[in-house]
Amino acid sequence: MLEENVKVLTIAELIHGARPLSGTSFLHPYLDRPISRTSSSNHRTPLGPADSISDSTNHKILTPLNHPVVLIGTLTLHSSHDDCLEFTDSSSEICCDILDFNVCAIGKRIHVTAWNFIPLKGTNGFLEIIKWNFPESTSVLHGCSSTDSFDSFPLFQSSVAASEIDHSKSRYRFHGAIESVSPVSIVPCSRPCSSNDSANIRGFLMGVLACDCKFCTAKECEITQECHSFTKPKFVYFSGAASCWHPVATKLVGKVITILGLKKKLVFIGKEESQLMFVTTENSVLHVPRLLKKWSPPSKTVIKGKGESGVYTGVVKGVYMQGLLVELDNEVWLLLTDKLRTVPHSLRLGAVVREITSFLCLFIA
């Protein structure tokens, strides 16, 4: 049963209010406990003037609510924006991002106890999920194994169980650490496609450092949790329907994963250069260790400002040129060179940009 002063708000009520709101000011220890509901009609109250500190809302400032508010819905991959997850309830859906991400939350009902809502023109807005938990009824997650050392997630809705993968068509796999993830892009089909295929292929590249030991390269050998050496650079292309996993892939950068059911393709870049890479299939399955540990490369690049690539974390202090130029910490400028890339919904003043990877660093006097 909900605490007397805790309200349940629907996504539709947030969208209809069209005001930037923060549901973080009144966090209490009891909000960490699983929440049960009796009758939603008793606790859902439309937003009104009393819900904010001031009626004169500045649409560039998040207005804190004067009481605890909980959002209840399902986290899914089917967002209209490539960089976002989607939070949905019976009233509507909204693009979102989430802290303390757990892959097991995909497709599951969650309680959001701390959040920010940002209205955006032409969309339902954007929800920043800061603190959340699983309802008491789903404390044992049906989509995640409670006995295995890893959790399995088919990359396609039509995927079969990992034990039933047709290895004759998709017999490759890799076990390694994710180093980088590209934006989602559309590649035109260079040859005649079948009537069932789209002329354009959506997808993204994942750069990994894979282990090349006999256990990881063997086609039918079980990958153990023994020590591995992640030194072999490889690329995995998430093609077609698998591209919806992009927001999850970006959150797993630096983590060690396994993907089964891959095929190999020789990709030509221009007329002379080629690259052998893995490509997802309808049988591809993602394995994520239950004890997900951060992987660190053996040595870090020393940034001297002479064209090195590296990693940076900072707070957004300014956004210019329609999102192509971002100022971090009042001392670093991030230039996004891809003009076709859609600006992430989460890019705003005060946002923390964590672990920018694969950038070119130059000091400009």
Side-chain angles (χ1 to χ4, degrees):
M1 185 174 180
L2 283 172
E3 298 286 344
E4 186 176 350
N5 63 332
V6 177
K7 295 182 180 180
V8 176
L9 200 63
T10 67
I11 299 173
E13 288 167 341
L14 275 181
I15 298 170
H16 180 71
R19 290 179 292 167
L21 297 174
S22 177
T24 61
S25 295
F26 291 85
L27 287 174
H28 295 289
Y30 64 78
L31 285 179
D32 289 330
R33 301 201 304 265
I35 298 171
S36 59
R37 291 172 58 188
T38 50
S39 174
S40 59
S41 60
N42 294 332
H43 298 284
R44 282 181 177 163
T45 304
L47 288 175
D51 291 308
S52 62
I53 290 179
S54 172
D55 294 339
S56 56
T57 303
N58 184 335
H59 286 271
K60 294 184 179 181
I61 298 176
L62 291 169
T63 304
L65 297 176
N66 60 7
H67 55 78
V69 172
V70 173
L71 307 177
I72 299 178
T74 303
L75 194 67
T76 74
L77 295 171
H78 306 294
S79 172
S80 58
H81 197 281
D82 294 333
D83 296 300
C84 298
L85 295 168
E86 184 175 83
F87 186 72
T88 178
D89 63 14
S90 59
S91 70
S92 190
E93 64 282 328
I94 188 173
C95 288
C96 71
D97 202 353
I98 182 170
L99 293 179
D100 298 323
F101 176 70
N102 185 337
V103 189
C104 290
I106 298 297
K108 300 297 187 300
R109 193 174 180 83
I110 64 173
H111 290 168
V112 180
T113 56
W115 48 270
N116 292 326
F117 170 69
I118 302 171
L120 296 174
K121 292 182 179 180
T123 72
N124 285 349
F126 182 70
L127 182 68
E128 297 175 342
I129 299 176
I130 299 170
K131 197 170 184 180
W132 62 279
N133 57 42
F134 290 109
E136 186 176 9
S137 59
T138 57
S139 57
V140 178
L141 299 175
H142 302 295
C144 297
S145 171
S146 59
T147 57
D148 293 334
S149 59
F150 57 83
D151 297 312
S152 300
F153 306 92
L155 297 182
F156 288 76
Q157 289 185 346
S158 60
S159 295
V160 296
S163 60
E164 301 176 6
I165 290 179
D166 184 357
H167 289 281
S168 64
K169 294 182 179 180
S170 48
R171 62 184 184 275
Y172 297 101
R173 69 179 182 181
F174 89 90
H175 177 66
I178 303 177
E179 200 173 28
S180 61
V181 176
S182 77
V184 175
S185 60
I186 298 177
V187 179
C189 195
S190 60
R191 57 182 175 80
C193 300
S194 66
S195 57
N196 296 328
D197 295 333
S198 172
N200 298 322
I201 303 173
R202 290 174 56 84
F204 67 90
L205 276 174
M206 175 188 287
V208 301
L209 286 178
C211 180
D212 218 21
C213 73
K214 62 179 181 179
F215 296 104
C216 294
T217 54
K219 294 183 177 64
E220 297 181 358
C221 193
E222 181 179 354
I223 296 176
T224 65
Q225 297 299 316
E226 303 296 329
C227 294
H228 297 275
S229 178
F230 305 117
T231 57
K232 188 79 170 178
K234 295 181 183 292
F235 290 96
V236 182
Y237 184 67
F238 284 65
S239 174
S243 63
C244 69
W245 283 86
H246 183 265
V248 174
T250 59
K251 295 181 182 302
L252 294 177
V253 171
K255 306 297 192 302
V256 176
I257 65 169
T258 304
I259 299 183
L260 308 179
L262 298 170
K263 62 182 179 181
K264 282 186 176 181
K265 285 284 188 179
L266 185 63
V267 178
F268 289 91
I269 306 170
K271 295 182 179 180
E272 299 180 356
E273 188 177 354
S274 63
Q275 174 72 52
L276 186 64
M277 65 178 62
F278 294 114
V279 179
T280 57
T281 70
E282 62 180 9
N283 295 326
S284 296
V285 176
L286 169 67
H287 286 341
V288 180
R290 295 185 70 83
L291 296 176
L292 198 58
K293 296 181 179 180
K294 183 74 175 179
W295 170 83
S296 298
S299 61
K300 294 185 178 180
T301 303
V302 178
I303 302 299
K304 297 181 179 180
K306 297 181 180 180
E308 305 90 351
S309 61
V311 177
Y312 186 84
T313 299
V315 178
V316 176
K317 297 296 184 179
V319 180
Y320 311 96
M321 296 172 57
Q322 297 182 337
L324 294 179
L325 186 62
V326 181
E327 183 182 6
L328 302 173
D329 300 330
N330 295 325
E331 59 181 19
V332 174
W333 293 88
L334 175 64
L335 178 63
L336 306 179
T337 57
D338 186 358
K339 295 181 180 181
L340 298 179
R341 175 165 167 72
T342 305
V343 177
H345 286 166
S346 55
L347 183 60
R348 65 173 179 86
L349 292 179
V352 178
V353 180
R354 296 194 297 176
E355 299 182 359
I356 306 169
T357 58
S358 300
F359 62 83
L360 189 66
C361 182
L362 296 171
F363 287 168
I364 303 176

